[in-house]
Amino acid sequence: MNPYESIQLPNVINAAGKMTYLGSSAVLPEVARTMSESARSFVDMAQLKATVQRKIAAMVEAEAACVTSCAAAGIVVSVAAALTGTDLDKVEALPLIKGGKREVILQKGHAVSFGANLTQMIRMTGAEVKEIGTVNGVKPYHLKGAINEATAAIVYVVSHHAVSSEMLSLREVTDIAALHGIPVIVDAAAEVDLQLYLAQGATAVIYSGHKAIGGPTSGLIIGSKPFMEACWLQEKGYARAMKIGKENIMGLYASLEAYMRLDQQSLTESYANIVDVLQREVTGIPGLSTRTAWDATRPIPRLQLIVGDEAGLTAKQLIGLLEQGTPSIRTRNHLADEGIIQFDPRELRLEEIGQIGTMLRSILDKRKQEA
């Protein structure tokens, strides 16, 4: 039974992917058991965090790790760490910044919203955001010219939300930053590779525990040990308001263990199979055509449903009717203005595909009758 039905919430078919607004990931059964048992037990929280963080660092081959309540909290914690280092007086003073380093550099095409504004997460610490370049072009001289004695860090975003062309590459950013001893913080919340960005010179990389990793709501920062030590110390300041519970720490750890065992190629093939089955299910529905598209930075295929004039309604109208149905079908809607609805396979079950086809036919048949 869906537990949310007990409070009169509709059943949801998640064809949107690992989206925060839908709860991101359905955890594995063994992860759920670990979380349940952890929630009913007591532990020294400092020892739990230190042990799990040490084990995670070894697992992903990083110098050190810091567990947070989510990736957004990881951004705040990382920026705060860049402002304070391991000076507890500075940690307790935020958002009053003690010292001259108060600016965080961000490429203009990386000033994204992921449900909240990235720039607000940075400014929460008291830091000033210095955007460089334009949304369609950032050059090395923009970054070099922005660096001064007040520069505390550079934040770099890897996301489908960010502008993907004509921005500086991470390697370009880290090479310039290294000349000045400036930390580079990478927001890679939904990315799949847990080693790539550190290998490109990042000081700290932030991941969401409940996106690619498939865990409960949580976050993870990995990077250099001196920087992680400054992140850990934020528990005496900002991170106290963003603390993570024992059951989610253990859930993240169990999910990460399972994630590291995954064969990514086989996983991608399973996603492609779901897309193929869904494509066969919806092919032939009047007014709709399909194609497969791949994510720009991750090995994720998606079915694109192209809503034509014959459908008698727009993509946005169709999205609304799918959401209002029983079950409520949620899709990935970044291209809705272009008449395209995307179906993401990662949290979609094979047994739900028939329901999607039935709902689409029902909606379009009804619209045809009303015309």
Side-chain angles (χ1 to χ4, degrees):
M1 176 183 174
N2 185 330
Y4 302 113
E5 292 178 356
S6 68
I7 55 172
Q8 292 77 54
L9 292 178
N11 184 34
V12 170
I13 290 178
N14 181 3
K18 294 177 180 288
M19 307 295 279
T20 298
Y21 83 97
L22 292 177
S24 296
S25 294
V27 302
L28 294 170
E30 59 266 33
V31 172
R33 286 192 294 271
T34 295
M35 292 179 67
S36 176
E37 293 165 3
S38 299
R40 292 180 291 169
S41 304
F42 294 98
V43 67
D44 183 301
M45 289 297 292
Q47 291 180 0
L48 172 63
K49 289 174 187 172
T51 300
V52 166
Q53 288 169 165
R54 184 175 65 252
K55 288 180 177 293
I56 287 176
M59 201 183 305
V60 302
E61 299 180 9
E63 286 184 21
C66 178
V67 172
T68 66
S69 59
C70 63
I75 294 167
V76 177
V77 168
S78 296
V79 172
L83 296 171
T84 68
T86 54
D87 186 328
L88 186 55
D89 182 55
K90 291 182 178 180
V91 171
E92 292 181 349
L94 293 180
L96 173 65
I97 298 175
K98 291 189 173 183
K101 294 187 180 298
R102 61 181 59 247
E103 294 181 353
V104 174
I105 297 173
L106 182 70
Q107 297 185 75
K108 194 170 286 291
H110 288 187
V112 301
S113 171
F114 47 80
N117 289 339
L118 172 68
T119 53
Q120 184 183 34
M121 301 300 104
I122 296 171
R123 289 186 286 106
M124 279 176 62
T125 63
E128 300 170 9
V129 178
K130 180 183 281 189
E131 294 184 17
I132 60 171
T134 65
V135 292
N136 64 342
V138 181
K139 302 299 182 185
Y141 69 83
H142 288 129
L143 179 55
K144 293 174 182 177
I147 293 172
N148 58 42
E149 65 278 358
T151 305
I154 302 167
V155 171
Y156 190 97
V157 179
V158 183
S159 169
H160 66 277
H161 293 297
V163 174
S164 58
S165 62
E166 302 303 323
M167 296 293 109
L168 296 178
S169 69
L170 178 56
R171 178 58 76 181
E172 287 177 303
V173 170
T174 58
D175 284 348
I176 293 170
L179 297 175
H180 301 272
I182 297 170
V184 177
I185 300 165
V186 176
D187 173 10
E191 299 306 302
V192 301
D193 196 318
L194 301 181
Q195 298 173 328
L196 176 62
Y197 309 109
L198 287 181
Q200 293 179 4
T203 310
V205 187
I206 303 157
Y207 295 93
S208 169
H210 48 282
K211 295 291 179 66
I213 295 169
T217 301
S218 54
L220 175 64
I221 314 169
I222 58 174
S224 74
K225 188 170 183 181
F227 196 86
M228 290 305 104
E229 288 172 345
C231 289
W232 299 334
L233 199 61
Q234 302 309 313
E235 290 194 4
K236 300 296 184 181
Y238 273 114
R240 179 69 178 184
M242 306 170 182
K243 58 181 174 286
I244 179 172
K246 58 186 184 292
E247 62 278 5
N248 280 34
I249 293 174
M250 289 299 293
L252 170 63
Y253 179 63
S255 298
L256 192 55
E257 281 190 310
Y259 183 74
M260 297 300 288
R261 292 194 297 267
L262 280 176
D263 179 342
Q264 290 293 337
Q265 180 61 37
S266 296
L267 187 62
T268 300
E269 290 172 1
S270 72
Y271 294 155
N273 178 61
I274 291 173
V275 168
D276 287 344
V277 174
L278 179 59
Q279 189 165 30
R280 290 196 297 271
E281 174 67 29
V282 302
T283 293
I285 299 178
L288 304 179
S289 58
T290 64
R291 65 186 177 210
T292 299
W294 288 80
D295 188 90
T297 62
R298 298 167 293 175
I300 303 167
R302 297 190 181 97
L303 182 70
Q304 291 189 340
L305 194 68
I306 304 156
V307 183
D309 293 340
E310 188 184 348
L313 76 178
T314 66
K316 285 188 173 181
Q317 289 173 323
L318 181 52
I319 288 165
L321 292 169
L322 287 170
E323 291 181 356
Q324 294 164 23
T326 304
S328 176
I329 298 172
R330 305 303 179 93
T331 53
R332 196 173 185 91
N333 304 323
H334 302 84
L335 301 176
D337 286 335
E338 301 173 34
I340 298 170
I341 305 172
Q342 296 192 95
F343 291 78
D344 189 298
R346 288 173 294 167
E347 294 295 327
L348 187 60
R349 302 184 180 109
L350 280 170
E351 60 267 25
E352 295 171 329
I353 290 176
Q355 293 175 275
I356 293 173
T358 298
M359 183 73 74
L360 285 169
R361 291 184 183 89
S362 175
I363 290 171
L364 294 177
D365 285 347
K366 184 178 180 181
R367 180 54 62 108
K368 186 175 181 180
Q369 292 168 10
E370 292 173 347

